[in-house]
Amino acid sequence: MTREEIESREDESMMDAPQINKPKPEEFFNVNYLRIYYGKSPFSFFLTIKTFDLLRKPNNKYIIDGKHPGCDEYYFGRREFSFTLENDVYLRYKSFKNASSMEDAIRSHFPYKIDIGAVYSVDPDKRHAYSQTGSNVFTPVERELVFDIDITDYDDVRYCCSGADVCSKCWPLMTVAIKVIHTSLTEDFGFKHILWVFSGRRGVHCWVCDPKARRMTNEQRSAVAEYFRVYKGNENNARKVALMGYSLHPFLARSYVDYLKGFFEGELQATQSIFSTKDKYEKILAMISDEDIQSELRGKWENSARSSLSEEAISLVRWEQLKNTLQSKKHKAPTLRMCVEEIVFTFTYPRIDLEVSKQMNHLLKAPFCVHPKTGRVCVPIDPNNCDEFDPLAVPTLSQLIEEINSGGSRMDVDDDSDDSDTSLLGKSVKFFRSSFLEPLLKSCKEEIESSYKTKIGKSKDSLSW
Amino acid sequence: MEVIRSQKRTPSNDTVSNPKIPLYLTAPQMEVRLEEFELFAIDRLRVLKGVSDGLARGRNPKEMDDLVDTLWKEHMRDPDASLMFNKDIISHFVLRLVYCRSDELKKWFLSMETALFRHRFRLQNFEAQRAIVGEFGLPYKAVTGAELEGLKERLGQVVRSLGQISPTVEAIYYKVPFEEVPDLVASRRVLIQKGYAFVAGSQLVSLVVTQFRSHISKALILTNRKWTTTIREREKDRLTPIVEALSTSYLGPDYSQSTEYAEISLKDIDQVAKSSFPLCMRHLFEKVREDHHLKHGGRMQLGLFLKGVGLKLDDALAFWRAEFTKKVGSERFDKEYAYSIRHNYGKEGKRTDYTPYACQKIILSAPGAGDHHGCPYRHFSEDNLRAALGRMGLSSRGMEGVMDQVRNKHYQLACTMTFEAVYGTSCDAGINHPNQYFEESQKILKSKTPPAPV
């Protein structure tokens, strides 16, 4: 099929669109819609792909004053991408010379999912040309520091949904996770260029793009992931958060005081009522490593089962009772010292997927992809306004198609004046550009310029007699 | 470093001003006698092997400090401090030559030298430690004055979070990029702010060990290059034979060449499996007989073990073929499995003669669903382990001792105890290789019973 034929087919479907019935839920994601999404260039999708990499070591397209001698033209070509096609066909180690050859590949494969991997020492698709034992080993050289938080990892502490579902009652767990991790990334680790992205269904991804983050070794990434790790759960233990010592580490203390405590005692009680039934409160009692205290509380709660208060109110009362009991008895054993905090952490503290963060070669879905199971676009989330983010209000592919069909947005990436808030993705694109892309571009330029100057300076010195 | 035939050695110029632990940053400029070249290296190797044993037995840091102290005094001490220092340096550099030559050797050497360094460092007093930090040329500034005051409260929180009830904030903290102390970051043992970790004087170990490790790792790569391009050829009549002998002599036998005891033939194999195989290999063997199949991890672990035990390639092919063809057919066997068996024996591809796995490697493996490899003491559930030990003939009292070791994560000690229970003798060396278990077992059985007609 030639390009003209494809385009004329699209035009046809656009004209037909108003007469098509509203798509059934199971039809909100399919190859035809994807064709349109990718075919409509330049779409915000390409905005992110292009800029993600070309800006790292920008080529002449993005440096207005012409080609900078400090640029690395071959950087983009060494980035690994992977395509997941229809029928779960998975193509790894894809790399492209430049953005337009990548666009062409996307428009010929129509991948359901595009993942971004690391920048390697040589072009991934040429890796076999290099012998493994020689000095030109195919190895990752740079990669953003990434995090993946998935709400299914919280199934043991959310009662409204389980598995792939997510609702307005449990999504706040993600919100609180973003706040805790983001604050730490900026305050503790000093990172500046952080992008949070909705994963499309039930979680969030985080991309830390500072130069020093991209150069971190696997060991260092592992260290940061472990620093964030608190929950150590598996089926065999009831007490999955164990906070030893006499106080919390400052990072945990800040998280507790600024975010977790308030969330636990407020929103969480309202949405999950974690003490309201016997099944629920037994789970919490199991976290208290003292049988006497467990029995004491159990006794109080069993007897008050027939109260006329709301579920939320009951929960709050019981929480107070638990806190008071533990406060007076916490000196009984070291494991009781921070039992209250442990319970709060168990229900609210972020649970990141350690494996995703630890290795440079781990691939992660690209922002602005469309999730095949929900049809939703993986849009950025503003960490400073994450309370307002609603995963169920994120534009879907079919909504976007409708918008296109009705002559709506023209997402023209080169035309800055077109970032209107009225189009479905307009706000997201604008945010992506102004809050993340532009500062990153600026800092990359500065880095290139300064390292170039140093190089020039050095070589000048070496010429002096 | 210049190696000379005989003659008096010129004492090096290093004197008392040196820190007690050399950092091996540059090759020493001194003359070494040929005999010392080998002897010094052997002594150091005894120390490194002792460290390796200690780690495998799960010794805690304090125990390792004492162990290292003992080992060092036993093998490396010299009444003359500068001679001792020279021996330290020379032996290290000789072993670099020996252990740079393959990835596996490099990995072992790096781990052991780093551990050795770590514990020697911990044994030094604070002043000596600071001197060593200085030697590395690390540009870390001590935090003082107003900046320290501002951090005091949170530094105290960190100390308390680590289990000290009264927060004694130390006098000196170093401001270090967090990337340089990954293990302190991972365990939340430091305060981190704006990308910097505040490392207490007492935590310096972490800092220097990371530097040390990184330096040695790079050095090994360079040494390997030099070895393969120039030294090996140039020294082929002098140093090269010594270097090549050193790596196989002390890591414990690697069982890639089996001894006289160990040649077994196909018809003996079932009986020998029952009588002399350690539990991990018994299990794999039983599974092959039962399922007529094993997944990759199991094929490697058992296959290499059998090679070490003396099973010849032809017999190995016959064995695997007999079992696998019951399930997958002869053509598929030839296509998919025969190649990798030949590969293990060094007859294909890179022609590396792969060595059977030692316990340490087996314990660290991660068997998944459908796998039967790994160390049963680690990877089996308690019930399954008890059942398996029962089949080996352990009494319930013997079993309790073994299970106790398992609970404390001393898997090799558990295997050793099993060995002792099964054969009724003590095994002081401790089991650290399945082929060692086999050989010891065969020794005992052959000495007990007269050679029986097969």
Side-chain angles (χ1 to χ4, degrees):
Chain A
M1 220 187 265
T2 66
R3 207 181 174 137
E4 295 84 63
E5 283 174 296
I6 297 174
E7 281 181 349
S8 65
R9 264 188 60 171
E10 283 166 7
D11 285 335
E12 272 173 20
S13 54
M14 280 196 283
M15 284 193 302
D16 285 337
Q19 283 128 30
I20 295 177
N21 292 330
K22 199 139 174 78
K24 302 194 199 69
E26 48 281 14
E27 286 173 358
F28 47 59
F29 181 92
N30 61 51
V31 176
N32 289 321
Y33 287 164
L34 253 191
R35 281 188 216 275
I36 299 174
Y37 183 67
Y38 291 140
K40 210 73 186 88
S41 107
F43 215 116
S44 47
F45 181 80
F46 296 110
L47 175 66
T48 165
I49 297 293
K50 271 186 196 166
T51 47
F52 237 92
D53 270 293
L54 298 183
L55 289 184
R56 271 328 119 51
K57 307 271 183 166
N59 69 16
N60 48 6
K61 244 202 218 169
Y62 284 91
I63 292 205
I64 304 138
D65 46 25
K67 196 158 179 167
H68 193 291
C71 284
D72 178 355
E73 300 166 54
Y74 303 108
Y75 191 87
F76 186 66
R78 291 185 279 129
R79 168 78 73 167
E80 180 192 0
F81 293 93
S82 80
F83 287 175
T84 305
L85 309 182
E86 203 172 359
N87 302 325
D88 285 332
V89 173
Y90 185 62
L91 303 175
R92 228 200 122 166
Y93 297 116
K94 296 205 76 63
S95 62
F96 309 99
K97 233 176 28 178
N98 51 37
S100 63
S101 56
M102 184 177 177
E103 282 175 41
D104 290 343
I106 291 176
R107 289 205 202 110
S108 67
H109 289 292
F110 295 107
Y112 273 29
K113 186 161 88 103
I114 301 177
D115 288 334
I116 302 179
V119 178
Y120 283 83
S121 50
V122 297
D123 291 17
D125 68 357
K126 299 193 178 73
R127 67 196 183 284
H128 293 306
Y130 296 90
S131 132
Q132 282 291 350
T133 52
S135 50
N136 286 333
V137 168
F138 174 67
T139 190
V141 164
E142 277 197 17
R143 205 268 195 277
E144 293 69 20
L145 175 62
V146 293
F147 298 96
D148 178 0
I149 308 177
D150 188 322
I151 209 163
T152 51
D153 288 338
Y154 292 73
D155 278 357
D156 59 311
V157 293
R158 57 175 183 150
Y159 296 111
C160 48
C161 308
S162 71
D165 298 324
V166 82
C167 71
S168 56
K169 285 183 175 183
C170 50
W171 180 262
L173 286 167
M174 296 289 103
T175 306
V176 115
I178 293 176
K179 289 178 185 171
V180 168
I181 303 286
H182 188 78
T183 306
S184 184
L185 289 173
T186 50
E187 292 303 313
D188 300 341
F189 292 99
F191 292 125
K192 298 199 174 70
H193 301 285
I194 303 171
L195 177 70
W196 287 91
V197 186
F198 175 49
S199 76
R201 183 161 61 163
R202 59 190 198 208
V204 293
H205 296 161
C206 177
W207 297 77
V208 182
C209 306
D210 295 48
K212 72 170 183 173
R214 299 198 306 264
R215 287 177 212 132
M216 282 169 72
T217 64
N218 286 352
E219 195 191 357
Q220 290 159 350
R221 287 161 204 265
S222 202
V224 176
E226 289 291 337
Y227 177 83
F228 287 144
R229 185 189 195 197
V230 168
Y231 177 83
K232 291 181 183 172
N234 61 51
E235 299 129 20
N236 295 333
N237 51 7
R239 186 169 157 246
K240 298 167 197 204
V241 170
L243 299 169
M244 306 306 291
Y246 289 89
S247 91
L248 292 173
H249 180 280
F251 155 58
L252 298 180
R254 180 191 62 217
S255 304
Y256 182 71
V257 166
D258 289 354
Y259 305 118
L260 303 179
K261 182 168 195 285
F263 175 68
F264 182 87
E265 294 181 342
E267 193 165 2
L268 190 76
Q269 297 301 346
T271 54
Q272 303 287 334
S273 322
I274 57 178
F275 289 91
S276 55
T277 69
K278 187 165 169 68
D279 280 340
K280 288 184 184 177
Y281 67 63
E282 280 299 335
K283 209 165 27 182
I284 298 177
L285 288 179
M287 296 182 207
I288 303 174
S289 53
D290 182 300
E291 302 250 339
D292 295 333
I293 299 180
Q294 286 190 21
S295 316
E296 187 183 329
L297 289 168
R298 193 178 286 118
K300 284 194 186 135
W301 299 345
E302 270 168 2
N303 293 335
S304 67
R306 273 186 298 266
S307 146
S308 59
L309 292 172
S310 70
E311 276 202 346
E312 180 187 344
I314 294 176
S315 264
L316 283 167
V317 165
R318 290 179 177 173
W319 175 238
E320 288 302 315
Q321 288 174 329
L322 187 150
K323 275 201 291 186
N324 291 333
T325 313
L326 275 174
Q327 180 59 32
S328 58
K329 302 242 166 88
K330 70 176 175 186
H331 304 290
K332 271 180 87 176
T335 47
L336 291 174
R337 228 180 272 139
M338 288 199 282
C339 190
V340 169
E341 288 85 345
E342 284 175 356
I343 295 173
V344 172
F345 272 80
T346 304
F347 279 85
T348 62
Y349 182 85
R351 301 179 186 186
I352 64 174
D353 184 339
L354 293 163
E355 289 312 310
V356 169
S357 308
K358 283 182 174 180
Q359 306 254 5
M360 282 171 93
N361 58 9
H362 203 286
L363 293 147
L364 194 61
K365 186 160 60 177
F368 288 104
C369 272
V370 180
H371 195 296
K373 302 234 168 69
T374 61
R376 298 205 191 268
V377 180
C378 300
V379 291
I381 301 176
D382 181 355
N384 299 317
N385 276 314
C386 48
D387 287 310
E388 290 172 14
F389 180 80
D390 179 3
L392 302 170
V394 173
T396 64
L397 184 58
S398 53
Q399 287 170 349
L400 290 173
I401 302 301
E402 266 188 58
E403 187 183 55
I404 295 172
N405 289 345
S406 55
S409 75
R410 274 187 62 240
M411 306 296 323
D412 199 336
V413 80
D414 294 320
D415 183 355
D416 285 332
S417 64
D418 206 25
D419 285 335
S420 53
D421 283 358
T422 55
S423 67
L424 284 173
L425 283 184
K427 224 170 160 184
S428 297
V429 173
K430 186 165 177 200
F431 170 75
F432 178 69
R433 261 208 184 122
S434 60
S435 304
F436 171 69
L437 224 44
E438 273 153 26
L440 180 57
L441 171 56
K442 186 156 170 260
S443 109
C444 282
K445 275 166 82 166
E446 282 165 8
E447 200 200 11
I448 290 179
E449 272 159 28
S450 80
S451 70
Y452 181 68
K453 282 198 186 107
T454 326
K455 226 167 49 173
I456 295 294
K458 274 197 185 135
S459 63
K460 279 202 179 113
D461 287 338
S462 68
L463 287 174
S464 63
W465 292 95
Chain B
M1 187 167 71
E2 233 199 276
V3 185
I4 53 174
R5 267 279 156 201
S6 50
Q7 294 151 33
K8 212 143 159 255
R9 192 187 330 110
T10 38
S12 81
N13 291 327
D14 313 309
T15 50
V16 238
S17 60
N18 282 316
K20 291 196 201 148
I21 310 178
L23 302 182
Y24 319 109
L25 294 173
T26 51
Q29 298 300 314
M30 59 177 92
E31 291 177 330
V32 179
R33 296 210 295 265
L34 193 59
E35 308 83 71
E36 284 173 343
F37 185 90
E38 187 171 11
L39 292 172
F40 285 0
I42 288 179
D43 281 341
R44 193 184 190 89
L45 212 34
R46 288 189 228 256
V47 174
L48 293 183
K49 176 129 202 300
V51 169
S52 177
D53 268 353
L55 291 173
R57 284 167 195 258
R59 301 264 178 257
N60 67 40
K62 181 74 184 43
E63 288 169 336
M64 285 303 293
D65 290 345
D66 295 335
L67 176 64
V68 162
D69 200 27
T70 313
L71 286 167
W72 194 264
K73 289 192 173 116
E74 199 180 317
H75 299 295
M76 298 295 287
R77 188 166 49 181
D78 191 301
D80 181 334
S82 74
L83 292 185
M84 180 163 88
F85 191 70
N86 290 347
K87 180 172 172 176
D88 189 347
I89 298 186
I90 292 167
S91 59
H92 173 88
F93 279 90
V94 174
L95 287 184
R96 269 198 209 178
L97 281 177
V98 176
Y99 284 90
C100 69
R101 297 169 305 131
S102 85
D103 281 345
E104 215 173 306
L105 291 172
K106 268 192 254 180
K107 202 168 159 194
W108 185 85
F109 181 70
L110 188 60
S111 295
M112 297 313 133
E113 281 284 340
T114 305
L116 176 63
F117 179 81
R118 175 193 294 271
H119 295 287
R120 287 177 74 193
F121 186 90
R122 281 163 58 102
L123 291 165
Q124 304 297 314
N125 65 36
F126 188 61
E127 280 311 310
Q129 291 186 345
R130 280 184 68 180
I132 293 173
V133 174
E135 275 279 312
F136 267 114
L138 298 174
Y140 307 131
K141 297 233 156 56
V143 181
T144 52
E147 197 184 359
L148 187 60
E149 272 310 306
L151 297 168
K152 253 206 167 93
E153 191 189 327
R154 282 180 295 154
L155 290 172
Q157 260 185 314
V158 175
V159 172
R160 293 188 77 219
S161 77
L162 296 172
Q164 258 186 272
I165 191 162
S166 60
T168 38
V169 173
E170 294 180 30
I172 300 201
Y173 277 79
Y174 292 90
K175 189 171 171 181
V176 169
F178 79 88
E179 293 94 333
E180 315 252 344
V181 284
D183 49 335
L184 293 177
V185 170
S187 49
R188 291 194 292 263
R189 300 177 80 85
V190 281
L191 174 68
I192 306 181
Q193 184 175 267
K194 291 299 185 199
Y196 288 94
F198 293 90
V199 179
S202 63
Q203 292 174 312
L204 277 183
V205 187
S206 241
L207 207 53
V208 291
V209 168
T210 310
Q211 292 294 323
F212 181 82
R213 196 192 168 90
S214 153
H215 165 69
I216 301 285
S217 176
K218 293 187 190 127
L220 282 173
I221 296 173
L222 294 173
T223 309
N224 185 33
R225 229 171 260 167
K226 267 204 231 156
W227 172 260
T228 44
T229 53
T230 40
I231 303 177
R232 181 173 60 191
E233 184 53 37
R234 191 183 71 200
E235 291 291 338
K236 70 179 197 289
D237 299 321
R238 196 174 63 146
L239 299 181
T240 302
I242 300 176
V243 166
E244 288 176 351
L246 275 170
S247 73
T248 51
S249 66
Y250 265 96
L251 232 196
D254 64 5
Y255 301 98
S256 56
Q257 317 297 329
S258 48
T259 70
E260 50 178 286
Y261 280 122
E263 258 182 45
I264 61 171
S265 66
L266 260 193
K267 52 184 168 39
D268 299 334
I269 203 170
D270 285 279
Q271 194 242 3
V272 140
K274 255 208 174 83
S275 68
S276 291
F277 280 9
L279 187 55
C280 52
M281 301 304 174
R282 256 175 88 113
H283 178 68
L284 282 167
F285 187 81
E286 279 167 15
K287 282 296 166 189
V288 176
R289 286 291 191 218
E290 208 178 288
D291 297 337
H292 312 300
H293 193 272
L294 264 190
K295 288 180 115 178
H296 180 261
R299 295 200 300 273
M300 289 300 284
Q301 191 175 309
L302 181 61
L304 290 171
F305 170 76
L306 291 176
K307 184 176 82 150
V309 137
L311 192 65
K312 298 259 184 294
L313 175 59
D314 294 326
D315 285 343
L317 282 166
F319 166 71
W320 293 103
R321 170 185 276 277
E323 285 304 332
F324 273 51
T325 48
K326 287 182 189 148
K327 207 160 192 188
V328 302
S330 162
E331 211 182 286
R332 245 188 93 187
F333 176 79
D334 286 327
K335 216 163 123 184
E336 291 179 21
Y337 298 104
Y339 179 90
S340 58
I341 297 168
R342 291 170 54 81
H343 197 275
N344 282 349
Y345 278 73
K347 301 285 183 244
E348 298 283 0
K350 277 202 293 190
R351 317 255 158 182
T352 315
D353 207 5
Y354 289 99
T355 55
Y357 298 164
C359 289
Q360 219 164 359
K361 182 163 181 162
I362 293 174
I363 288 170
L364 287 175
S365 62
D371 282 323
H372 295 292
H373 62 278
C375 173
Y377 300 98
R378 177 166 184 225
H379 296 116
F380 277 21
S381 69
E382 182 164 332
D383 291 334
N384 287 348
L385 184 57
R386 280 177 188 274
L389 289 172
R391 288 197 295 275
M392 275 185 91
L394 255 69
S395 67
S396 54
R397 203 185 58 167
M399 228 186 277
E400 282 323 304
V402 173
M403 296 313 294
D404 213 33
Q405 295 290 0
V406 167
R407 259 174 244 121
N408 289 322
K409 299 198 174 150
H410 299 317
Y411 308 115
Q412 286 168 249
L413 293 179
C415 190
T416 310
M417 285 191 75
T418 304
F419 181 93
E420 290 173 345
V422 167
Y423 301 107
T425 77
S426 68
C427 173
D428 291 325
I431 299 295
N432 44 42
H433 199 296
N435 288 90
Q436 174 203 10
Y437 184 109
F438 180 84
E439 283 188 4
E440 295 297 318
S441 158
Q442 287 280 295
K443 269 195 210 143
I444 291 172
L445 293 175
K446 290 208 163 114
S447 69
K448 275 187 179 165
T449 61
V454 177

